[in-house]
Amino acid sequence: MARKNYRRWRLLAGTFLTLVAIAMITAFQFKSEPPLKSVVLPHSDNVFRTKFNYKGDQVLTTSRDQTVRLWNLSGKRLASFKEGIDWAIGADFSPQGDRVVTKSKSTRIWNTSGQLLAELKGGKGVVYDAHFNPKGDRIITASSGKSVQIWDTSGHLLTELKEPPGKVLRVTPKPKSDISTSKMAHLEASSSKLLSKLQGEPNQVLRANFNPNGDRIVTASGDGVIRIWDTSGKLLTELKGLQRGIMHTKADFSPDGKLVVATAGMDVARVWDTSGKLLAELKHPLLSYKEPRVMHSAYFNPQSDRLVTASADHTARIWDMAGNQLVELKGHKDVVYQARFSPQGDRIVTASADKTARIWDTAGNLLIELKGHKDKVGDAAFSPDGNLVITGSADRTARIWDVSTIKP
């Protein structure tokens, strides 16, 4: 009996020591991992757009609280751009980082102290898209005023691009469902003089942007046609195949300027070369009739030889330029709204309705899950050096995360 009790005691003691050892190892591993830092940037409503400047030391946030705000990386608010902004659609830095353009019912240019420098007048209706050119001396906008326009810095009209029947679409999805559609794309300059205007029959233009060299323009229209122009207003190419009448149509040049990718809020992204040749159609598989395969975003990697798409099927996917799926990023529990490559092209950040953002390597391995938001995460992007990520959420905050230690 004594020997049996001794054996039982030894077994219990061994089990206890094993559990203690496992707990100590787990605790050591947890303590050895550096904590992931995040800085909270508060708004009073949904934050749906975020943007780093080219240095990566300041960020812009756009919210449904009718403001665009400028912050440093420690969370100090540096400026709030709200004069004349009834509701904000988005904002962008100049390439030099010293000015900000805001889009709302008009286009305004500010310095980073919050001083209004210019208001671009001459277009009508809601401004859906506004971007500086690479030199920072022009701005292109898409609005509901039935034109595409280019401006100089004193507000004079220089060129008017004549848009065939269709709709010119914006860079970013509309933040409110009651926003009217755009019938014009505008090109504007930081000097406020209208340089050129792309105009035509009543097609709504919601997207307009320059290529990396600043000598070509891409517009996306509700007629399902993507158009490429030169900066004098000459139509060069029409890229066809998207569905007509879709409000979320978007188009972008590749970083090398040789390709264009477009999505229309449906189940497909298309890739063309700038001569108009269709290179690829990218489709996520259909999950069910209750969960249609809506493709929310498509972005190139820095080398222009890969695309990453984000979809309502809860996944992001990496593709080559022939349309072959290379990798599936699987793990989110709800719609994936955004997926973007890091500036180095070795990581991808995804933003999801499951209240998280995630960072992956390009082989599809999950590197880290960014937790902390209390509602849907609709936007996420890396800083220019790849060491930070900014996220925007329906929980009325944006967050800056230190991901410098999160490497493939």
Side-chain angles (χ1 to χ4, degrees):
M1 180 65 71
R3 181 174 294 180
K4 185 182 290 186
N5 287 339
Y6 176 72
R7 289 176 179 173
R8 183 180 299 172
W9 180 86
R10 286 189 62 184
L11 179 62
L12 291 174
T15 302
F16 174 76
L17 291 174
T18 300
L19 292 174
V20 169
I22 293 172
M24 291 178 67
I25 292 171
T26 302
F28 175 78
Q29 290 176 339
F30 178 78
K31 288 180 180 179
S32 66
E33 295 179 359
L36 193 65
K37 298 179 181 179
S38 70
V39 176
V40 179
L41 312 177
H43 276 266
S44 58
D45 208 335
N46 179 8
V47 180
F48 58 88
R49 284 291 172 269
T50 59
K51 182 79 174 182
F52 281 99
N53 68 353
Y54 83 100
K55 292 182 179 179
D57 60 358
Q58 294 179 349
V59 297
L60 286 170
T61 55
T62 305
S63 171
R64 285 184 180 168
D65 64 10
Q66 304 179 11
T67 68
V68 174
R69 295 177 181 176
L70 177 68
W71 313 80
N72 65 16
L73 300 185
S74 64
K76 179 181 179 182
R77 190 197 303 182
L78 304 177
S80 185
F81 311 104
K82 57 184 178 180
E83 180 180 344
I85 299 180
D86 298 305
W87 36 262
I89 292 179
D92 201 2
F93 284 103
S94 66
Q96 299 77 21
D98 58 345
R99 288 160 296 160
V100 170
V101 61
T102 58
K103 7 176 188 176
S104 136
K105 287 189 176 179
S106 65
T107 304
R108 289 177 167 84
I109 302 166
W110 317 72
N111 64 22
T112 52
S113 298
Q115 178 185 2
L116 180 63
L117 301 178
E119 182 177 359
L120 305 180
K121 297 180 179 180
K124 297 179 181 180
V126 176
V127 179
Y128 285 118
D129 209 0
H131 293 282
F132 287 93
N133 69 345
K135 292 182 179 179
D137 60 356
R138 299 290 184 271
I139 294 174
I140 185 168
T141 67
S143 80
S144 59
K146 302 181 181 180
S147 72
V148 177
Q149 300 173 326
I150 304 174
W151 312 71
D152 69 15
T153 56
S154 58
H156 294 155
L157 173 61
L158 302 182
T159 312
E160 187 167 358
L161 309 182
K162 293 185 178 180
E163 172 72 12
K167 302 179 180 181
V168 180
L169 309 180
R170 66 190 175 198
V171 175
T172 61
K174 59 182 179 181
K176 294 187 176 181
S177 60
D178 61 349
I179 295 176
S180 61
T181 56
S182 168
K183 296 184 179 179
M184 241 184 188
H186 292 271
L187 292 137
E188 305 170 65
S190 56
S191 60
S192 310
K193 287 198 173 178
L194 180 57
L195 301 183
S196 68
K197 187 175 185 180
L198 310 183
Q199 193 179 39
E201 298 180 40
N203 292 317
Q204 301 195 354
V205 183
L206 303 178
R207 170 75 183 189
N209 203 358
F210 292 98
N211 71 346
N213 291 331
D215 59 354
R216 295 289 183 269
I217 295 159
V218 64
T219 60
S221 301
D223 61 357
V225 179
I226 308 302
R227 294 178 173 90
I228 299 174
W229 316 71
D230 66 19
T231 53
S232 70
K234 180 182 178 181
L235 178 61
L236 303 177
T237 309
E238 290 189 338
L239 314 176
K240 299 181 179 181
L242 295 177
Q243 185 169 339
R244 294 177 59 91
I246 303 299
M247 281 295 300
H248 295 281
T249 303
K250 294 172 282 188
D252 279 301
F253 285 104
S254 58
D256 64 7
K258 297 179 180 180
L259 305 174
V260 170
V261 63
T263 59
M266 299 301 288
D267 65 345
V268 64
R270 287 183 169 86
V271 184
W272 298 266
D273 64 22
T274 53
S275 71
K277 181 182 178 181
L278 180 64
L279 302 180
E281 291 188 351
L282 317 178
K283 281 192 176 185
H284 286 232
L286 184 65
L287 286 181
S288 70
Y289 292 107
K290 292 183 180 180
E291 296 182 87
R293 52 189 181 195
V294 174
M295 196 170 293
H296 288 282
S297 72
Y299 290 99
F300 288 98
N301 69 345
Q303 295 77 28
S304 301
D305 61 357
R306 296 287 185 270
L307 274 163
V308 62
T309 55
S311 172
D313 69 2
H314 306 179
T315 71
R317 297 169 192 249
I318 303 174
W319 313 77
D320 65 18
M321 294 303 97
N324 300 308
Q325 181 183 308
L326 304 179
V327 179
E328 180 182 1
L329 308 180
K330 191 173 182 179
H332 280 292
K333 298 177 177 62
D334 209 330
V335 174
V336 181
Y337 292 118
Q338 293 284 355
R340 290 187 175 99
F341 285 97
S342 65
Q344 298 75 25
D346 60 346
R347 291 165 296 162
I348 292 168
V349 63
T350 54
S352 172
D354 67 9
K355 305 179 185 179
T356 72
R358 302 185 184 205
I359 299 177
W360 318 72
D361 66 19
T362 54
N365 300 307
L366 178 62
L367 301 179
I368 195 165
E369 188 174 2
L370 306 180
K371 294 182 177 180
H373 284 294
K374 307 301 182 184
D375 207 333
K376 297 176 181 179
V377 181
D379 196 29
F382 284 96
S383 60
D385 63 5
N387 289 331
L388 302 173
V389 163
I390 186 167
T391 54
S393 172
D395 69 2
R396 304 181 180 184
T397 70
R399 288 177 181 252
I400 301 172
W401 309 80
D402 181 354
V403 298
S404 57
T405 61
I406 311 304
K407 303 295 182 182

